[in-house]
Amino acid sequence: MRLLENLKWRYATKKFDPSKNIRDKDLEKLKEAIQLSVSSYGLQLYKVLVIENQKLRTQLKKASWDQSQITDASHLFVFCNYTDRSEKYIDDYIQATAKIQGTSLDKLTVYGDFMKKSLSQKTDSEWISWSEKQTYLALSNLLTACAELKIDACPMEGFEPDKYNDILGLKEKGLNAAVIAPVGFRSEDDHTQFRKKVRKPKELLFQSL
């Protein structure tokens, strides 16, 4: 299974080679992998910013504990969860489902109402926690796709979301920066690439019942 070998190859890259950029066709593959991610109810209540602009990334670096990955990587992916609780997102999803699957809206109304009721029962703090978790599902697909394409990535929580929101104007758009991932190609000087991967043994990680 080549996927397992590729997952063994990948690591959280600490130092990128700023002279190497991702090819456009590979970037589109990464986007498609994110697009195909699972999400609760299939709603995908998030937006992913793909930032190349170096001036903007220099600003974001200051809000990321001055970590070099932000500016040295080929691209910076910023996963943003929706902060507003509009039922319009569910209506849009139901309409898209009807169109793509050739199903009448009447048959999907019950499912749409179920989602609205279920999500309306969440408190504000529960909503925030739930919506942020959705971005991590999409992030996982990005990391796996990067490994398949032998593109390096570094998932990061080491940044200041409020400052990202201000710099990128996210609050006005009903978005919040939840997690980020610089992607590109490792520098030969990144010594962490030579460290052996440390993971729990299977007998500790899994339990059969």
Side-chain angles (χ1 to χ4, degrees), residues 23-86:
R23 296 180 299 177
D24 289 342
K25 67 177 184 179
D26 286 338
L27 182 61
E28 290 306 310
K29 291 177 181 177
L30 296 181
K31 290 180 180 179
E32 187 171 2
I34 293 172
Q35 180 191 26
L36 294 171
S37 297
V38 299
S39 69
S40 294
Y41 305 112
L43 290 172
Q44 294 182 295
L45 297 183
Y46 49 79
K47 184 178 285 291
V48 184
L49 308 182
V50 184
I51 304 176
E52 299 181 64
N53 185 286
Q54 278 295 333
K55 183 177 181 180
L56 187 56
R57 284 203 273 165
T58 297
Q59 290 180 269
L60 294 174
K61 181 181 179 182
K62 296 177 181 178
S64 310
W65 306 347
D66 208 37
Q67 295 179 87
S68 64
Q69 297 102 310
I70 304 300
T71 50
D72 289 350
S74 175
H75 294 72
L76 174 64
F77 284 70
V78 181
F79 293 80
C80 309
N81 61 293
Y82 288 4
T83 57
D84 54 334
R85 305 176 61 162
S86 174

Side-chain angles (χ1 to χ4, degrees), residues 3-22:
L3 173 60
L4 294 180
E5 293 305 311
N6 290 334
L7 291 177
K8 292 175 183 177
W9 170 84
R10 72 151 303 278
Y11 73 107
T13 305
K14 298 298 185 289
K15 188 174 182 180
F16 287 89
D17 185 340
S19 69
K20 296 181 179 179
N21 294 313
I22 298 172

Side-chain angles (χ1 to χ4, degrees), residues 85-93 116:
R85 305 176 61 162
S86 174
E87 292 185 347
K88 179 180 182 299
Y89 301 131
I90 296 175
D91 292 334
D92 290 344
Y93 174 74
K116 291 176 182 179

Side-chain angles (χ1 to χ4, degrees), residues 1-10 140-150 197:
M1 187 175 179
R2 180 172 289 276
L3 173 60
L4 294 180
E5 293 305 311
N6 290 334
L7 291 177
K8 292 175 183 177
W9 170 84
R10 72 151 303 278
S140 179
N141 263 34
L142 170 65
L143 299 180
T144 302
C146 281
E148 284 282 278
L149 294 170
K150 291 299 176 73
K197 193 179 293 290

Side-chain angles (χ1 to χ4, degrees), residues 75-187:
H75 294 72
L76 174 64
F77 284 70
V78 181
F79 293 80
C80 309
N81 61 293
Y82 288 4
T83 57
D84 54 334
R85 305 176 61 162
S86 174
E87 292 185 347
K88 179 180 182 299
Y89 301 131
I90 296 175
D91 292 334
D92 290 344
Y93 174 74
I94 292 297
Q95 290 181 14
T97 300
K99 181 179 180 181
I100 294 171
Q101 296 184 352
T103 306
S104 69
L105 284 171
D106 291 340
K107 292 182 178 180
L108 296 169
T109 299
V110 174
Y111 183 49
D113 291 342
F114 165 75
M115 286 191 286
K116 291 176 182 179
K117 181 179 179 181
S118 177
L119 294 180
S120 69
Q121 293 174 344
K122 293 184 183 294
T123 64
D124 288 343
S125 61
E126 288 173 339
W127 168 271
I128 292 173
S129 176
W130 174 80
S131 61
E132 287 182 345
K133 287 177 181 177
Q134 301 305 304
T135 64
Y136 284 77
L137 296 172
L139 170 66
S140 179
N141 263 34
L142 170 65
L143 299 180
T144 302
C146 281
E148 284 282 278
L149 294 170
K150 291 299 176 73
I151 293 173
D152 291 294
C154 183
M156 297 171 64
E157 291 181 322
F159 69 101
E160 299 177 73
D162 287 341
K163 290 185 178 179
Y164 264 62
N165 294 341
D166 290 339
I167 294 170
L168 298 172
L170 298 180
K171 291 181 181 179
E172 298 80 6
K173 300 174 183 176
L175 297 170
N176 167 69
V179 64
I180 63 176
V183 299
F185 299 95
R186 65 189 69 177
S187 169

